[in-house]
Amino acid sequence: MLEIILIGSGNLACYFLDKLYSNEKLKLKGLYTRKKSFDCPKNLKLYKSINEIEKADLYIIAVSDKSIIEISKSLKVNSGCVVHTSGSIEMNVLNKFKNHGVIYPVQTISKKNKLNNDSFPFLIESNNSSSRKIIEDILNISKANYHYFSSEKRLITHLGAVISNNFVNHLNYFSKKILEEHNIDFNILKPLIKETTYKINKYNPIDVQTGPAIRNDISTIKKHQKLLSNSNFIETYNIISNSILKLYSDEKL
Amino acid sequence: MLEIILIGSGNLACYFLDKLYSNEKLKLKGLYTRKKSFDCPKNLKLYKSINEIEKADLYIIAVSDKSIIEISKSLKVNSGCVVHTSGSIEMNVLNKFKNHGVIYPVQTISKKNKLNNDSFPFLIESNNSSSRKIIEDILNISKANYHYFSSEKRLITHLGAVISNNFVNHLNYFSKKILEEHNIDFNILKPLIKETTYKINKYNPIDVQTGPAIRNDISTIKKHQKLLSNSNFIETYNIISNSILKLYSDEKL
């Protein structure tokens, strides 16, 4: 049975912990975290020091981007494959390990908010065929969907994920804030938000654009600008409206 | 039976046409459009001139914001209620009509792309109780969900709708474009996009923010900036990242 050791205790580490611990066909051997207290499941070994980490087939470093290099400096591994889980860090930061790679989930994962849908893709990378085999075997056993991507393509996908998730979420924060400042319940926009996603899933975003900027409706844009008081909101509103105006006027040329 | 006349032939006019024409409890009496050719359903009267428009209980002006005033100048109505359907135009532009109001759908509606979900809200407004009664009767017969909002509150909701739909759609255009420039299929992000919407529906956006900006991860932000070549994309990326950085660093104070 393939043996795995997990390093980390953040959002992503807890996701892997949950998935791997409950999989009867894989053996999650232990977990190491620099955190002083961690609520480890029964029967799972919690290593007190990085030097105590045992032999395993796969070591998953699921820590913040900033800590990957630091952790990999201290980690002593003779056999098995070491991976990190970052969207934006190159695989070769793990060069000191004979077998290494990456397992990056294209998903927004946080401990406090359970995922609604578990069928998202992982982007994998490996330095040789034996690393690749271990990574693929474990993802196949976990029934996960994965694609082999270079570090460069992974970084581009990560940029797309930041735009489509982090930025979209921030825009919705911004929209909720404006409504609530005027005692309007944000729920009024939820059917629209659902439809927006439905359309992005079904159509090309460039073909379903609506709103004042695409119609070159400067009068409505000016009315909106007057309602905005927060400088970040004003800048965001102007930049995106100008970008839409420019894109669709260029299109007409 | 309540009689309705529709003015317009754009996205929203076609939505109303479809809904009202198929409702057996309402009588869609006719349609007027300035378009030279319009594919009108059988049995529906197509007025050749605005002066031919007959008596009705409700006149729905579903034209672009720019044309509402022009249309209302030419429209002669002795009884019945006249409404427009704009999110950003004040009700009082229809002051010349004794009974007037607004029926604004909080939804992104286009002819070519059918709506996935019909249960969105309408924001209504009226200048007196008889206008309100006609509007409410028609929306009740249509089994539509509606809320009574002032012109100011409607404009704020419209601003929220622009941010949560038009801007979000544009961000996804931007993300798709970057991926496709590097031969990456945009489908890789679709499970993430679904999850983003699910979280916005269930949680407060401020509590589910993830990504490099909230972690103050300047190194990843710099990597992303290097990948961007389009000046609109660079500006948008920087403004939203800075807005997230600022929001969450302020939060910590």
Side-chain angles (χ1 to χ4, degrees):
Chain A
M1 197 184 279
L2 286 164
E3 293 181 328
I4 304 163
I5 287 171
L6 195 56
I7 298 166
S9 55
N11 291 326
L12 199 49
C14 290
Y15 173 81
F16 279 112
L17 171 60
D18 188 44
K19 288 289 146 187
L20 299 171
Y21 186 70
S22 62
N23 192 318
E24 288 174 2
K25 291 177 181 168
L26 293 169
K27 174 147 185 60
L28 182 61
K29 214 169 169 182
L31 181 141
Y32 169 68
T33 172
R34 289 178 296 181
K35 231 184 179 178
K36 290 202 174 157
S37 73
F38 183 72
D39 189 17
C40 209
K42 277 177 193 170
N43 309 324
L44 181 67
K45 195 162 176 178
L46 187 64
Y47 304 109
K48 284 182 188 153
S49 141
I50 197 161
N51 299 318
E52 283 182 14
I53 289 179
E54 298 159 291
K55 199 169 169 286
D57 297 295
L58 184 70
Y59 301 82
I60 303 176
I61 305 180
V63 299
S64 70
D65 287 6
K66 290 176 195 166
S67 308
I68 294 173
I69 292 174
E70 205 183 321
I71 288 283
S72 73
K73 273 184 190 158
S74 326
L75 181 66
K76 312 275 181 294
V77 160
N78 294 318
S79 65
C81 174
V82 181
V83 299
H84 73 63
T85 56
S86 164
S88 56
I89 302 286
E90 294 188 350
M91 175 178 70
N92 65 22
V93 302
L94 301 178
N95 263 347
K96 70 170 258 199
F97 304 106
K98 188 184 157 202
N99 301 315
H100 58 272
V102 179
I103 302 178
Y104 162 63
V106 190
Q107 191 49 282
T108 171
I109 291 169
S110 66
K111 272 186 248 187
K112 46 182 181 178
N113 311 315
K114 280 262 169 205
L115 282 177
N116 182 42
N117 188 344
D118 224 11
S119 66
F120 56 85
F122 288 84
L123 305 185
I124 63 166
E125 196 177 358
S126 59
N127 73 315
N128 61 34
S129 57
S130 66
S131 307
R132 182 164 178 162
K133 192 173 181 320
I134 292 171
I135 293 169
E136 290 191 347
D137 282 352
I138 285 168
L139 289 173
N140 287 333
I141 291 169
S142 307
K143 292 182 181 161
N145 159 18
Y146 58 87
H147 303 269
Y148 198 89
F149 266 46
S150 67
S151 289
E152 196 208 345
K153 277 196 158 186
R154 176 165 38 83
L155 178 62
I156 290 156
T157 311
H158 182 254
L159 169 58
V162 164
I163 298 164
S164 290
N165 170 263
N166 306 158
F167 287 7
V168 164
N169 186 66
H170 189 61
L171 286 186
N172 279 298
Y173 150 73
F174 165 7
S175 155
K176 185 173 193 277
K177 180 94 180 164
I178 294 165
L179 263 61
E180 289 179 351
E181 275 168 5
H182 294 85
N183 296 317
I184 302 168
D185 186 343
F186 184 59
N187 284 320
I188 201 103
L189 294 184
K190 290 190 175 170
L192 173 68
I193 292 172
K194 271 191 192 163
E195 190 69 23
T196 305
T197 301
Y198 168 78
K199 283 195 171 164
I200 291 163
N201 266 290
K202 195 163 175 200
Y203 305 101
N204 190 334
I206 204 167
D207 296 330
V208 294
Q209 189 67 54
T210 55
I214 191 179
R215 294 193 305 268
N216 200 21
D217 177 355
I218 306 299
S219 149
T220 301
I221 291 175
K222 283 188 179 162
K223 284 184 192 172
H224 287 165
Q225 285 166 330
K226 277 191 193 162
L227 291 174
L228 296 166
S229 52
N230 176 312
S231 65
N232 287 335
F233 293 177
I234 296 171
E235 280 188 303
T236 307
Y237 184 91
N238 291 344
I239 290 289
I240 303 186
S241 288
N242 283 333
S243 177
I244 299 173
L245 277 163
K246 194 170 176 296
L247 174 68
Y248 291 88
S249 62
D250 286 356
E251 287 285 303
K252 284 173 206 154
L253 294 176
Chain B
M1 198 185 279
L2 286 163
E3 294 181 327
I4 304 163
I5 287 172
L6 195 56
I7 299 167
S9 56
N11 290 326
L12 199 48
C14 289
Y15 172 81
F16 279 112
L17 171 59
D18 190 43
K19 288 290 145 187
L20 299 171
Y21 187 70
S22 61
N23 192 319
E24 290 173 2
K25 293 179 181 167
L26 292 170
K27 172 142 186 66
L28 182 61
K29 211 168 171 184
L31 181 140
Y32 169 69
T33 170
R34 289 177 297 180
K35 234 185 176 176
K36 289 201 173 154
S37 73
F38 182 72
D39 190 18
C40 210
K42 280 178 193 168
N43 309 324
L44 182 67
K45 193 161 180 180
L46 187 65
Y47 303 108
K48 284 180 189 156
S49 142
I50 198 160
N51 300 317
E52 285 182 13
I53 289 181
E54 298 159 290
K55 199 171 169 285
D57 299 293
L58 184 71
Y59 301 82
I60 303 177
I61 305 180
V63 300
S64 71
D65 288 3
K66 290 174 195 168
S67 308
I68 294 172
I69 291 174
E70 207 183 321
I71 287 283
S72 72
K73 275 183 191 159
S74 326
L75 182 65
K76 311 273 183 292
V77 161
N78 294 319
S79 65
C81 174
V82 180
V83 298
H84 73 63
T85 56
S86 164
S88 55
I89 302 285
E90 293 187 351
M91 175 180 69
N92 64 21
V93 302
L94 302 177
N95 263 347
K96 71 169 257 198
F97 304 106
K98 187 184 157 203
N99 300 316
H100 58 273
V102 178
I103 301 180
Y104 163 62
V106 190
Q107 191 50 282
T108 171
I109 290 170
S110 68
K111 274 185 245 190
K112 47 182 180 177
N113 311 314
K114 280 261 171 207
L115 281 178
N116 183 42
N117 189 343
D118 225 12
S119 66
F120 56 86
F122 288 85
L123 305 186
I124 63 165
E125 196 176 358
S126 60
N127 74 314
N128 60 34
S129 57
S130 67
S131 307
R132 182 163 177 165
K133 190 174 181 322
I134 292 171
I135 294 170
E136 291 190 348
D137 281 353
I138 284 168
L139 290 172
N140 286 333
I141 291 169
S142 306
K143 292 182 181 160
N145 158 17
Y146 60 87
H147 304 268
Y148 197 88
F149 267 45
S150 67
S151 288
E152 195 208 346
K153 277 196 157 186
R154 174 164 40 82
L155 178 61
I156 289 155
T157 311
H158 182 255
L159 170 59
V162 164
I163 298 165
S164 290
N165 170 264
N166 306 160
F167 287 6
V168 164
N169 186 66
H170 188 63
L171 285 186
N172 279 297
Y173 151 74
F174 163 9
S175 154
K176 184 173 193 278
K177 181 93 178 164
I178 294 166
L179 262 61
E180 289 178 353
E181 276 169 4
H182 293 87
N183 297 315
I184 302 167
D185 186 342
F186 184 59
N187 284 321
I188 201 104
L189 294 185
K190 289 190 175 171
L192 173 68
I193 292 171
K194 272 191 193 165
E195 189 69 23
T196 305
T197 302
Y198 168 77
K199 282 194 172 166
I200 291 163
N201 265 289
K202 195 163 174 199
Y203 304 101
N204 191 333
I206 204 166
D207 296 328
V208 294
Q209 188 66 53
T210 55
I214 190 180
R215 293 193 303 268
N216 200 20
D217 177 357
I218 306 298
S219 149
T220 301
I221 290 174
K222 284 189 177 162
K223 284 184 192 172
H224 287 165
Q225 286 167 329
K226 278 191 191 162
L227 291 173
L228 297 167
S229 51
N230 177 312
S231 64
N232 287 335
F233 292 177
I234 296 172
E235 280 188 302
T236 308
Y237 184 91
N238 292 344
I239 290 289
I240 303 186
S241 288
N242 283 333
S243 177
I244 299 173
L245 278 163
K246 194 169 174 297
L247 173 67
Y248 291 88
S249 62
D250 285 357
E251 287 285 305
K252 283 174 207 151
L253 292 177

